[in-house]
mmCIF file of all heavy atoms in Angstrom:
data_model
loop_
_atom_site.group_PDB
_atom_site.id
_atom_site.type_symbol
_atom_site.label_atom_id
_atom_site.label_comp_id
_atom_site.label_asym_id
_atom_site.label_seq_id
_atom_site.Cartn_x
_atom_site.Cartn_y
_atom_site.Cartn_z
ATOM 1 N N MET W 195 0.815 -1.180 0.000
ATOM 2 C CA MET W 195 0.000 0.000 0.000
ATOM 3 C C MET W 195 0.869 1.257 0.000
ATOM 4 O O MET W 195 0.531 2.238 -0.655
ATOM 5 C CB MET W 195 -0.923 -0.014 1.207
ATOM 6 C CG MET W 195 -1.889 1.092 1.205
ATOM 7 S SD MET W 195 -3.215 0.643 2.319
ATOM 8 C CE MET W 195 -4.088 2.125 2.374
ATOM 9 N N ALA W 196 1.975 1.237 0.731
ATOM 10 C CA ALA W 196 2.860 2.397 0.778
ATOM 11 C C ALA W 196 3.415 2.716 -0.603
ATOM 12 O O ALA W 196 3.470 3.885 -1.001
ATOM 13 C CB ALA W 196 3.990 2.158 1.768
ATOM 14 N N ALA W 197 3.814 1.695 -1.337
ATOM 15 C CA ALA W 197 4.372 1.919 -2.673
ATOM 16 C C ALA W 197 3.337 2.554 -3.589
ATOM 17 O O ALA W 197 3.663 3.474 -4.347
ATOM 18 C CB ALA W 197 4.866 0.602 -3.267
ATOM 19 N N LEU W 198 2.124 2.124 -3.504
ATOM 20 C CA LEU W 198 1.057 2.681 -4.329
ATOM 21 C C LEU W 198 0.797 4.144 -3.970
ATOM 22 O O LEU W 198 0.656 4.998 -4.855
ATOM 23 C CB LEU W 198 -0.221 1.852 -4.174
ATOM 24 C CG LEU W 198 -1.390 2.232 -5.062
ATOM 25 C CD1 LEU W 198 -1.018 2.163 -6.538
ATOM 26 C CD2 LEU W 198 -2.559 1.310 -4.774
ATOM 27 N N LEU W 199 0.764 4.448 -2.691
ATOM 28 C CA LEU W 199 0.553 5.823 -2.249
ATOM 29 C C LEU W 199 1.696 6.728 -2.719
ATOM 30 O O LEU W 199 1.456 7.831 -3.212
ATOM 31 C CB LEU W 199 0.425 5.881 -0.733
ATOM 32 C CG LEU W 199 0.279 7.270 -0.122
ATOM 33 C CD1 LEU W 199 -0.996 7.939 -0.642
ATOM 34 C CD2 LEU W 199 0.275 7.189 1.383
ATOM 35 N N ILE W 200 2.920 6.249 -2.577
ATOM 36 C CA ILE W 200 4.073 7.037 -3.015
ATOM 37 C C ILE W 200 4.036 7.236 -4.524
ATOM 38 O O ILE W 200 4.319 8.329 -5.022
ATOM 39 C CB ILE W 200 5.388 6.391 -2.555
ATOM 40 C CG1 ILE W 200 5.471 6.450 -1.029
ATOM 41 C CG2 ILE W 200 6.591 7.073 -3.191
ATOM 42 C CD1 ILE W 200 6.548 5.587 -0.421
ATOM 43 N N GLU W 201 3.663 6.216 -5.260
ATOM 44 C CA GLU W 201 3.554 6.338 -6.713
ATOM 45 C C GLU W 201 2.510 7.386 -7.079
ATOM 46 O O GLU W 201 2.732 8.206 -7.982
ATOM 47 C CB GLU W 201 3.198 4.996 -7.341
ATOM 48 C CG GLU W 201 3.064 5.088 -8.851
ATOM 49 C CD GLU W 201 2.648 3.783 -9.472
ATOM 50 O OE1 GLU W 201 1.723 3.122 -8.948
ATOM 51 O OE2 GLU W 201 3.244 3.430 -10.492
ATOM 52 N N LYS W 202 1.392 7.386 -6.380
ATOM 53 C CA LYS W 202 0.333 8.346 -6.687
ATOM 54 C C LYS W 202 0.736 9.768 -6.344
ATOM 55 O O LYS W 202 0.354 10.701 -7.040
ATOM 56 C CB LYS W 202 -0.952 7.965 -5.969
ATOM 57 C CG LYS W 202 -1.618 6.763 -6.578
ATOM 58 C CD LYS W 202 -2.949 6.485 -5.922
ATOM 59 C CE LYS W 202 -3.526 5.243 -6.525
ATOM 60 N NZ LYS W 202 -4.849 5.393 -7.044
ATOM 61 N N THR W 203 1.491 9.949 -5.276
ATOM 62 C CA THR W 203 1.851 11.305 -4.863
ATOM 63 C C THR W 203 3.129 11.806 -5.527
ATOM 64 O O THR W 203 3.274 13.007 -5.747
ATOM 65 C CB THR W 203 2.006 11.396 -3.335
ATOM 66 O OG1 THR W 203 2.994 10.481 -2.890
ATOM 67 C CG2 THR W 203 0.676 11.124 -2.645
ATOM 68 N N ARG W 204 4.063 10.915 -5.861
ATOM 69 C CA ARG W 204 5.356 11.319 -6.419
ATOM 70 C C ARG W 204 5.474 11.091 -7.918
ATOM 71 O O ARG W 204 6.398 11.594 -8.541
ATOM 72 C CB ARG W 204 6.486 10.569 -5.721
ATOM 73 C CG ARG W 204 6.592 10.812 -4.242
ATOM 74 C CD ARG W 204 7.125 12.174 -3.968
ATOM 75 N NE ARG W 204 7.123 12.446 -2.538
ATOM 76 C CZ ARG W 204 7.834 13.393 -1.979
ATOM 77 N NH1 ARG W 204 8.615 14.154 -2.703
ATOM 78 N NH2 ARG W 204 7.749 13.588 -0.687
ATOM 79 N N GLY W 205 4.581 10.297 -8.471
ATOM 80 C CA GLY W 205 4.617 10.041 -9.915
ATOM 81 C C GLY W 205 5.922 9.395 -10.358
ATOM 82 O O GLY W 205 6.410 8.458 -9.726
ATOM 83 N N VAL W 206 6.510 9.929 -11.423
ATOM 84 C CA VAL W 206 7.705 9.324 -12.002
ATOM 85 C C VAL W 206 8.918 9.443 -11.086
ATOM 86 O O VAL W 206 9.924 8.766 -11.302
ATOM 87 C CB VAL W 206 8.044 9.928 -13.389
ATOM 88 C CG1 VAL W 206 6.939 9.621 -14.386
ATOM 89 C CG2 VAL W 206 8.311 11.408 -13.294
ATOM 90 N N GLU W 207 8.831 10.268 -10.053
ATOM 91 C CA GLU W 207 9.937 10.432 -9.106
ATOM 92 C C GLU W 207 9.833 9.489 -7.902
ATOM 93 O O GLU W 207 10.637 9.567 -6.977
ATOM 94 C CB GLU W 207 9.993 11.879 -8.628
ATOM 95 C CG GLU W 207 10.272 12.856 -9.756
ATOM 96 C CD GLU W 207 10.218 14.296 -9.299
ATOM 97 O OE1 GLU W 207 9.918 14.551 -8.120
ATOM 98 O OE2 GLU W 207 10.467 15.167 -10.136
ATOM 99 N N ALA W 208 8.867 8.594 -7.924
ATOM 100 C CA ALA W 208 8.636 7.712 -6.781
ATOM 101 C C ALA W 208 9.852 6.854 -6.454
ATOM 102 O O ALA W 208 10.243 6.749 -5.288
ATOM 103 C CB ALA W 208 7.418 6.826 -7.032
ATOM 104 N N ALA W 209 10.462 6.257 -7.457
ATOM 105 C CA ALA W 209 11.612 5.377 -7.202
ATOM 106 C C ALA W 209 12.782 6.161 -6.603
ATOM 107 O O ALA W 209 13.447 5.677 -5.671
ATOM 108 C CB ALA W 209 12.041 4.677 -8.487
ATOM 109 N N GLU W 210 13.017 7.368 -7.099
ATOM 110 C CA GLU W 210 14.096 8.192 -6.564
ATOM 111 C C GLU W 210 13.811 8.595 -5.120
ATOM 112 O O GLU W 210 14.708 8.611 -4.274
ATOM 113 C CB GLU W 210 14.298 9.447 -7.421
ATOM 114 C CG GLU W 210 14.843 9.152 -8.804
ATOM 115 C CD GLU W 210 13.768 8.773 -9.822
ATOM 116 O OE1 GLU W 210 12.560 8.887 -9.516
ATOM 117 O OE2 GLU W 210 14.147 8.348 -10.916
ATOM 118 N N TYR W 211 12.565 8.900 -4.830
ATOM 119 C CA TYR W 211 12.172 9.250 -3.469
ATOM 120 C C TYR W 211 12.409 8.075 -2.513
ATOM 121 O O TYR W 211 12.991 8.246 -1.440
ATOM 122 C CB TYR W 211 10.706 9.671 -3.436
ATOM 123 C CG TYR W 211 10.190 9.928 -2.042
ATOM 124 C CD1 TYR W 211 10.475 11.122 -1.398
ATOM 125 C CD2 TYR W 211 9.433 8.973 -1.370
ATOM 126 C CE1 TYR W 211 10.014 11.359 -0.110
ATOM 127 C CE2 TYR W 211 8.972 9.206 -0.081
ATOM 128 C CZ TYR W 211 9.260 10.402 0.541
ATOM 129 O OH TYR W 211 8.817 10.627 1.814
ATOM 130 N N ILE W 212 11.970 6.908 -2.930
ATOM 131 C CA ILE W 212 12.133 5.714 -2.092
ATOM 132 C C ILE W 212 13.615 5.429 -1.853
ATOM 133 O O ILE W 212 14.023 5.138 -0.732
ATOM 134 C CB ILE W 212 11.414 4.513 -2.733
ATOM 135 C CG1 ILE W 212 9.895 4.730 -2.658
ATOM 136 C CG2 ILE W 212 11.815 3.202 -2.069
ATOM 137 C CD1 ILE W 212 9.075 3.757 -3.474
ATOM 138 N N GLU W 213 14.419 5.533 -2.887
ATOM 139 C CA GLU W 213 15.855 5.276 -2.734
ATOM 140 C C GLU W 213 16.502 6.304 -1.808
ATOM 141 O O GLU W 213 17.353 5.961 -0.993
ATOM 142 C CB GLU W 213 16.549 5.277 -4.094
ATOM 143 C CG GLU W 213 18.025 5.046 -4.038
ATOM 144 C CD GLU W 213 18.475 3.754 -3.359
ATOM 145 O OE1 GLU W 213 17.669 2.814 -3.222
ATOM 146 O OE2 GLU W 213 19.664 3.680 -2.950
ATOM 147 N N ALA W 214 16.074 7.551 -1.889
ATOM 148 C CA ALA W 214 16.617 8.578 -0.998
ATOM 149 C C ALA W 214 16.264 8.277 0.456
ATOM 150 O O ALA W 214 17.104 8.450 1.351
ATOM 151 C CB ALA W 214 16.083 9.952 -1.401
ATOM 152 N N ARG W 215 15.054 7.824 0.688
ATOM 153 C CA ARG W 215 14.659 7.455 2.057
ATOM 154 C C ARG W 215 15.467 6.251 2.554
ATOM 155 O O ARG W 215 15.901 6.225 3.689
ATOM 156 C CB ARG W 215 13.160 7.133 2.114
ATOM 157 C CG ARG W 215 12.254 8.266 1.728
ATOM 158 C CD ARG W 215 12.425 9.507 2.587
ATOM 159 N NE ARG W 215 12.145 9.210 3.972
ATOM 160 C CZ ARG W 215 12.581 9.953 5.005
ATOM 161 N NH1 ARG W 215 13.276 11.032 4.794
ATOM 162 N NH2 ARG W 215 12.296 9.603 6.239
ATOM 163 N N ARG W 216 15.669 5.265 1.676
ATOM 164 C CA ARG W 216 16.458 4.099 2.072
ATOM 165 C C ARG W 216 17.872 4.520 2.455
ATOM 166 O O ARG W 216 18.395 4.107 3.487
ATOM 167 C CB ARG W 216 16.513 3.084 0.931
ATOM 168 C CG ARG W 216 17.192 1.770 1.346
ATOM 169 C CD ARG W 216 17.729 1.000 0.170
ATOM 170 N NE ARG W 216 18.751 1.721 -0.563
ATOM 171 C CZ ARG W 216 20.030 1.856 -0.172
ATOM 172 N NH1 ARG W 216 20.448 1.365 0.979
ATOM 173 N NH2 ARG W 216 20.893 2.517 -0.917
ATOM 174 N N ARG W 217 18.478 5.377 1.636
ATOM 175 C CA ARG W 217 19.840 5.857 1.927
ATOM 176 C C ARG W 217 19.895 6.646 3.231
ATOM 177 O O ARG W 217 20.839 6.525 4.001
ATOM 178 C CB ARG W 217 20.361 6.715 0.777
ATOM 179 C CG ARG W 217 20.795 5.916 -0.432
ATOM 180 C CD ARG W 217 21.594 6.748 -1.431
ATOM 181 N NE ARG W 217 20.985 8.040 -1.726
ATOM 182 C CZ ARG W 217 20.168 8.277 -2.739
ATOM 183 N NH1 ARG W 217 19.856 7.313 -3.593
ATOM 184 N NH2 ARG W 217 19.657 9.485 -2.923
ATOM 185 N N LYS W 218 18.869 7.456 3.486
ATOM 186 C CA LYS W 218 18.820 8.247 4.714
ATOM 187 C C LYS W 218 18.842 7.341 5.936
ATOM 188 O O LYS W 218 19.616 7.554 6.867
ATOM 189 C CB LYS W 218 17.561 9.116 4.706
ATOM 190 C CG LYS W 218 17.268 9.838 5.978
ATOM 191 C CD LYS W 218 18.190 10.999 6.180
ATOM 192 C CE LYS W 218 17.726 11.781 7.411
ATOM 193 N NZ LYS W 218 18.662 12.775 7.810
ATOM 194 N N PHE W 219 18.000 6.325 5.941
ATOM 195 C CA PHE W 219 17.965 5.413 7.076
ATOM 196 C C PHE W 219 19.266 4.623 7.197
ATOM 197 O O PHE W 219 19.776 4.422 8.292
ATOM 198 C CB PHE W 219 16.760 4.473 6.978
ATOM 199 C CG PHE W 219 15.480 5.120 7.427
ATOM 200 C CD1 PHE W 219 14.656 5.772 6.520
ATOM 201 C CD2 PHE W 219 15.095 5.105 8.753
ATOM 202 C CE1 PHE W 219 13.484 6.388 6.917
ATOM 203 C CE2 PHE W 219 13.928 5.712 9.176
ATOM 204 C CZ PHE W 219 13.111 6.370 8.253
ATOM 205 N N ALA W 220 19.807 4.200 6.079
ATOM 206 C CA ALA W 220 21.073 3.457 6.100
ATOM 207 C C ALA W 220 22.200 4.333 6.626
ATOM 208 O O ALA W 220 23.068 3.852 7.377
ATOM 209 C CB ALA W 220 21.401 2.928 4.709
ATOM 210 N N SER W 221 22.192 5.604 6.282
ATOM 211 C CA SER W 221 23.285 6.495 6.690
ATOM 212 C C SER W 221 23.324 6.740 8.188
ATOM 213 O O SER W 221 24.379 7.049 8.736
ATOM 214 C CB SER W 221 23.199 7.833 5.949
ATOM 215 O OG SER W 221 22.147 8.628 6.445
ATOM 216 N N VAL W 222 22.194 6.595 8.850
ATOM 217 C CA VAL W 222 22.164 6.780 10.299
ATOM 218 C C VAL W 222 22.190 5.444 11.039
ATOM 219 O O VAL W 222 22.007 5.397 12.261
ATOM 220 C CB VAL W 222 20.957 7.645 10.750
ATOM 221 C CG1 VAL W 222 21.066 9.039 10.178
ATOM 222 C CG2 VAL W 222 19.634 6.994 10.414
ATOM 223 N N GLY W 223 22.396 4.375 10.296
ATOM 224 C CA GLY W 223 22.516 3.057 10.914
ATOM 225 C C GLY W 223 21.202 2.405 11.289
ATOM 226 O O GLY W 223 21.190 1.465 12.090
ATOM 227 N N ASP W 224 20.113 2.877 10.740
ATOM 228 C CA ASP W 224 18.800 2.287 11.023
ATOM 229 C C ASP W 224 18.528 1.196 9.995
ATOM 230 O O ASP W 224 17.922 1.431 8.954
ATOM 231 C CB ASP W 224 17.725 3.373 10.970
ATOM 232 C CG ASP W 224 16.343 2.873 11.387
ATOM 233 O OD1 ASP W 224 16.110 1.642 11.362
ATOM 234 O OD2 ASP W 224 15.491 3.708 11.720
ATOM 235 N N ASP W 225 19.002 0.005 10.307
ATOM 236 C CA ASP W 225 18.850 -1.112 9.373
ATOM 237 C C ASP W 225 17.394 -1.485 9.137
ATOM 238 O O ASP W 225 17.015 -1.844 8.024
ATOM 239 C CB ASP W 225 19.623 -2.335 9.878
ATOM 240 C CG ASP W 225 21.125 -2.103 9.920
ATOM 241 O OD1 ASP W 225 21.624 -1.250 9.149
ATOM 242 O OD2 ASP W 225 21.799 -2.769 10.725
ATOM 243 N N GLY W 226 16.576 -1.389 10.157
ATOM 244 C CA GLY W 226 15.156 -1.706 10.006
ATOM 245 C C GLY W 226 14.465 -0.732 9.067
ATOM 246 O O GLY W 226 13.680 -1.137 8.208
ATOM 247 N N GLY W 227 14.769 0.542 9.220
ATOM 248 C CA GLY W 227 14.189 1.545 8.327
ATOM 249 C C GLY W 227 14.664 1.366 6.899
ATOM 250 O O GLY W 227 13.880 1.460 5.950
ATOM 251 N N ALA W 228 15.957 1.095 6.747
ATOM 252 C CA ALA W 228 16.513 0.870 5.401
ATOM 253 C C ALA W 228 15.867 -0.357 4.764
ATOM 254 O O ALA W 228 15.530 -0.339 3.570
ATOM 255 C CB ALA W 228 18.021 0.711 5.470
ATOM 256 N N LYS W 229 15.666 -1.398 5.565
ATOM 257 C CA LYS W 229 15.032 -2.611 5.034
ATOM 258 C C LYS W 229 13.591 -2.330 4.611
ATOM 259 O O LYS W 229 13.149 -2.789 3.553
ATOM 260 C CB LYS W 229 15.060 -3.722 6.079
ATOM 261 C CG LYS W 229 14.443 -5.008 5.594
ATOM 262 C CD LYS W 229 14.465 -6.098 6.650
ATOM 263 C CE LYS W 229 13.780 -7.329 6.102
ATOM 264 N NZ LYS W 229 13.413 -8.276 7.124
ATOM 265 N N LEU W 230 12.877 -1.575 5.412
ATOM 266 C CA LEU W 230 11.498 -1.227 5.081
ATOM 267 C C LEU W 230 11.437 -0.497 3.742
ATOM 268 O O LEU W 230 10.636 -0.848 2.873
ATOM 269 C CB LEU W 230 10.886 -0.354 6.174
ATOM 270 C CG LEU W 230 9.506 0.226 5.866
ATOM 271 C CD1 LEU W 230 8.475 -0.891 5.743
ATOM 272 C CD2 LEU W 230 9.111 1.222 6.922
ATOM 273 N N TRP W 231 12.306 0.502 3.543
ATOM 274 C CA TRP W 231 12.295 1.264 2.292
ATOM 275 C C TRP W 231 12.768 0.422 1.118
ATOM 276 O O TRP W 231 12.318 0.617 -0.012
ATOM 277 C CB TRP W 231 13.082 2.562 2.442
ATOM 278 C CG TRP W 231 12.269 3.553 3.219
ATOM 279 C CD1 TRP W 231 12.373 3.837 4.550
ATOM 280 C CD2 TRP W 231 11.188 4.333 2.726
ATOM 281 N NE1 TRP W 231 11.416 4.758 4.907
ATOM 282 C CE2 TRP W 231 10.681 5.081 3.799
ATOM 283 C CE3 TRP W 231 10.598 4.479 1.477
ATOM 284 C CZ2 TRP W 231 9.611 5.969 3.666
ATOM 285 C CZ3 TRP W 231 9.531 5.368 1.341
ATOM 286 C CH2 TRP W 231 9.054 6.092 2.424
ATOM 287 N N THR W 232 13.634 -0.548 1.371
ATOM 288 C CA THR W 232 14.033 -1.479 0.314
ATOM 289 C C THR W 232 12.829 -2.310 -0.121
ATOM 290 O O THR W 232 12.603 -2.519 -1.318
ATOM 291 C CB THR W 232 15.173 -2.402 0.802
ATOM 292 O OG1 THR W 232 16.307 -1.586 1.129
ATOM 293 C CG2 THR W 232 15.560 -3.424 -0.242
ATOM 294 N N GLU W 233 12.054 -2.762 0.847
ATOM 295 C CA GLU W 233 10.855 -3.543 0.537
ATOM 296 C C GLU W 233 9.813 -2.707 -0.209
ATOM 297 O O GLU W 233 9.172 -3.199 -1.137
ATOM 298 C CB GLU W 233 10.268 -4.121 1.825
ATOM 299 C CG GLU W 233 11.161 -5.184 2.449
ATOM 300 C CD GLU W 233 10.712 -5.613 3.838
ATOM 301 O OE1 GLU W 233 9.687 -5.097 4.334
ATOM 302 O OE2 GLU W 233 11.408 -6.444 4.432
ATOM 303 N N ILE W 234 9.668 -1.453 0.190
ATOM 304 C CA ILE W 234 8.729 -0.572 -0.514
ATOM 305 C C ILE W 234 9.196 -0.390 -1.955
ATOM 306 O O ILE W 234 8.391 -0.411 -2.887
ATOM 307 C CB ILE W 234 8.587 0.776 0.212
ATOM 308 C CG1 ILE W 234 7.910 0.579 1.573
ATOM 309 C CG2 ILE W 234 7.794 1.774 -0.639
ATOM 310 C CD1 ILE W 234 7.928 1.797 2.477
ATOM 311 N N GLY W 235 10.502 -0.236 -2.149
ATOM 312 C CA GLY W 235 11.050 -0.117 -3.499
ATOM 313 C C GLY W 235 10.768 -1.349 -4.341
ATOM 314 O O GLY W 235 10.443 -1.246 -5.526
ATOM 315 N N ALA W 236 10.880 -2.513 -3.732
ATOM 316 C CA ALA W 236 10.591 -3.758 -4.449
ATOM 317 C C ALA W 236 9.115 -3.825 -4.850
ATOM 318 O O ALA W 236 8.781 -4.276 -5.951
ATOM 319 C CB ALA W 236 10.975 -4.961 -3.592
ATOM 320 N N LYS W 237 8.247 -3.373 -3.953
ATOM 321 C CA LYS W 237 6.813 -3.370 -4.276
ATOM 322 C C LYS W 237 6.524 -2.391 -5.419
ATOM 323 O O LYS W 237 5.728 -2.693 -6.309
ATOM 324 C CB LYS W 237 5.978 -2.994 -3.052
ATOM 325 C CG LYS W 237 6.092 -3.960 -1.892
ATOM 326 C CD LYS W 237 5.497 -5.291 -2.222
ATOM 327 C CE LYS W 237 5.545 -6.171 -0.987
ATOM 328 N NZ LYS W 237 5.102 -7.519 -1.246
ATOM 329 N N LEU W 238 7.173 -1.236 -5.405
ATOM 330 C CA LEU W 238 6.988 -0.275 -6.483
ATOM 331 C C LEU W 238 7.454 -0.882 -7.812
ATOM 332 O O LEU W 238 6.768 -0.743 -8.817
ATOM 333 C CB LEU W 238 7.758 1.017 -6.197
ATOM 334 C CG LEU W 238 7.623 2.087 -7.284
ATOM 335 C CD1 LEU W 238 6.209 2.639 -7.321
ATOM 336 C CD2 LEU W 238 8.642 3.177 -7.072
ATOM 337 N N ALA W 239 8.584 -1.557 -7.778
ATOM 338 C CA ALA W 239 9.092 -2.205 -9.005
ATOM 339 C C ALA W 239 8.102 -3.259 -9.500
ATOM 340 O O ALA W 239 7.912 -3.416 -10.717
ATOM 341 C CB ALA W 239 10.461 -2.824 -8.735
ATOM 342 N N ALA W 240 7.465 -3.969 -8.589
ATOM 343 C CA ALA W 240 6.479 -4.976 -8.986
ATOM 344 C C ALA W 240 5.231 -4.321 -9.610
ATOM 345 O O ALA W 240 4.611 -4.898 -10.500
ATOM 346 C CB ALA W 240 6.080 -5.837 -7.792
ATOM 347 N N LEU W 241 4.894 -3.119 -9.132
ATOM 348 C CA LEU W 241 3.752 -2.402 -9.705
ATOM 349 C C LEU W 241 4.045 -1.921 -11.118
ATOM 350 O O LEU W 241 3.136 -1.772 -11.927
ATOM 351 C CB LEU W 241 3.404 -1.183 -8.842
ATOM 352 C CG LEU W 241 2.760 -1.428 -7.501
ATOM 353 C CD1 LEU W 241 2.681 -0.118 -6.711
ATOM 354 C CD2 LEU W 241 1.366 -2.015 -7.666
ATOM 355 N N ASN W 242 5.330 -1.648 -11.378
ATOM 356 C CA ASN W 242 5.751 -1.073 -12.660
ATOM 357 C C ASN W 242 6.904 -1.878 -13.255
ATOM 358 O O ASN W 242 8.033 -1.383 -13.303
ATOM 359 C CB ASN W 242 6.202 0.375 -12.453
ATOM 360 C CG ASN W 242 5.112 1.236 -11.897
ATOM 361 O OD1 ASN W 242 4.099 1.443 -12.546
ATOM 362 N ND2 ASN W 242 5.280 1.719 -10.679
ATOM 363 N N PRO W 243 6.655 -3.078 -13.705
ATOM 364 C CA PRO W 243 7.755 -3.923 -14.179
ATOM 365 C C PRO W 243 8.469 -3.377 -15.421
ATOM 366 O O PRO W 243 9.604 -3.765 -15.696
ATOM 367 C CB PRO W 243 7.080 -5.269 -14.471
ATOM 368 C CG PRO W 243 5.642 -4.944 -14.643
ATOM 369 C CD PRO W 243 5.374 -3.731 -13.795
ATOM 370 N N ASP W 244 7.834 -2.465 -16.150
ATOM 371 C CA ASP W 244 8.459 -1.937 -17.365
ATOM 372 C C ASP W 244 9.398 -0.772 -17.094
ATOM 373 O O ASP W 244 10.084 -0.322 -18.014
ATOM 374 C CB ASP W 244 7.375 -1.486 -18.354
ATOM 375 C CG ASP W 244 6.546 -2.662 -18.842
ATOM 376 O OD1 ASP W 244 7.063 -3.792 -18.846
ATOM 377 O OD2 ASP W 244 5.372 -2.447 -19.197
ATOM 378 N N ARG W 245 9.425 -0.263 -15.895
ATOM 379 C CA ARG W 245 10.309 0.876 -15.566
ATOM 380 C C ARG W 245 11.651 0.422 -15.122
ATOM 381 O O ARG W 245 11.926 -0.498 -14.529
ATOM 382 C CB ARG W 245 9.707 1.742 -14.467
ATOM 383 C CG ARG W 245 8.613 2.609 -14.989
ATOM 384 C CD ARG W 245 8.252 3.601 -13.943
ATOM 385 N NE ARG W 245 6.990 4.220 -14.276
ATOM 386 C CZ ARG W 245 6.348 5.031 -13.471
ATOM 387 N NH1 ARG W 245 6.824 5.308 -12.316
ATOM 388 N NH2 ARG W 245 5.216 5.540 -13.831
#
């Protein structure tokens, strides 16, 4: 659901937004947050297999 919401609000920039959030959490050592954003990115990719 998060990936769909981000896609609707961010449009073509959704993947870049998700990756920026993943990097932010990883940079502060929050492995759980980074993992969550990685999973959201995977769901977004599944929604848009042609991108």
